[in-house]
Amino acid sequence: MAGPNWDERYSAKEFAYGTEPNVFFASELGKLSQGRALFAAEGEGRNAVYAAQKGWTVDAFDMSVEGKKKAEQLAKEKNVSINDYQVVDVMSTTYGADTFDLVVFVYSHFPAEFKKEAFRKLSDSLKKGGTVVCEVFSKQQLEYQKAGHKSNGPRDEAVLWSVEELKEAFGDSIEYQYLNQEEIELSEGQFHNGLGSVVRLVGKKK
């Protein structure tokens, strides 16, 4: 099932998911000491820019050229910078091991055939003791879409996540500090509004 044309979505003047950070991510960031962070499928940069404002060195990637442009625009408006924003497919990234103190997945939904491999690949770039923060739509999100909620998200169940799948993706590489499926109220720009079902995870690299 085809997803959005991301360059088309991000080329609009408005920020598709707003300019404020994801609530769960921002809450978890406040518990951490500053370091170097990687943001997966970061789009228009709202989370990376927020981290930069908090003193983090931030790297990011996304497949969308327009997403990168908007992220750099937002960073300039907030008087911060993104260290390295690559326009690249997740499986073509070449981040080295033991590089980051934090890896962030906020609605980083990849094709089903390699979504688990992608998450594990990126988590391998964490330093020992580094943190992974993740908020993704659960498989139950399809029910919220059918009910008319405007929280949106992928419409292919295989691309969505379950708690069990996240455990399979990260395996025993992390110590799970929080892992739960829950219903939340989203208010993120034009495309994430209303009730939705997500899986949230926080873990530490072993």
Side-chain angles (χ1 to χ4, degrees):
M1 186 177 296
N5 179 321
W6 293 109
D7 275 333
E8 180 179 326
R9 177 167 291 187
Y10 293 150
S11 66
K13 181 180 179 180
E14 298 81 9
F15 280 72
Y17 301 100
T19 58
E20 295 300 312
N22 173 265
V23 171
F24 180 65
F25 158 70
S27 174
E28 293 302 319
L29 188 73
K31 303 173 186 177
L32 303 174
S33 300
Q34 297 164 345
R36 186 177 177 188
L38 173 64
F39 293 80
E42 176 57 3
E44 296 169 309
R46 62 193 175 105
N47 297 304
V49 168
Y50 177 79
Q53 289 180 282
K54 297 299 182 181
W56 287 73
T57 299
V58 298
D59 291 29
F61 74 87
D62 197 280
M63 290 184 64
S64 171
V65 173
E66 295 299 325
K68 178 180 180 179
K69 289 179 183 177
K70 293 282 278 296
E72 291 175 339
Q73 172 193 330
L74 183 61
K76 185 176 181 179
E77 290 174 1
K78 301 294 186 180
N79 296 310
V80 295
S81 63
I82 296 174
N83 178 57
D84 179 36
Y85 192 127
Q86 298 182 21
V87 178
V88 65
D89 176 87
V90 61
M91 298 311 292
S92 299
T93 56
T94 56
Y95 301 110
D98 304 315
T99 300
F100 298 103
D101 301 288
L102 171 66
V103 173
V104 180
F105 302 92
V106 173
Y107 301 111
S108 309
H109 287 275
F110 301 119
E113 58 267 29
F114 56 76
K115 68 178 187 180
K116 294 177 189 176
E117 183 183 353
F119 272 41
R120 183 61 178 261
K121 171 185 169 77
L122 295 176
S123 70
D124 286 345
S125 67
L126 275 171
K127 298 175 183 176
K128 184 177 180 180
T131 303
V132 56
V133 175
C134 175
E135 180 173 297
V136 289
F137 284 115
S138 81
K139 293 184 181 297
Q140 194 177 350
Q141 180 64 10
L142 294 177
E143 297 176 18
Y144 288 79
Q145 294 168 358
K146 292 174 183 175
H149 295 290
K150 303 300 182 183
S151 46
N152 289 305
R155 297 180 181 276
D156 180 352
E157 184 179 11
V159 174
L160 299 168
W161 287 89
S162 66
V163 167
E164 293 72 23
E165 284 181 330
L166 278 177
K167 284 183 177 180
E168 291 168 4
F170 293 110
D172 61 359
S173 67
I174 64 172
E175 177 185 342
Y176 297 89
Q177 298 184 319
Y178 186 83
L179 178 56
N180 192 45
Q181 178 178 318
E182 50 200 86
E183 180 182 89
I184 65 169
E185 179 86 23
L186 280 163
S187 180
E188 298 183 332
Q190 301 173 65
F191 295 100
H192 282 173
N193 290 286
L195 290 177
S197 179
V198 301
V199 183
R200 288 172 163 175
L201 176 150
V202 180
K204 293 284 185 183
K205 180 75 174 290
K206 290 182 179 179

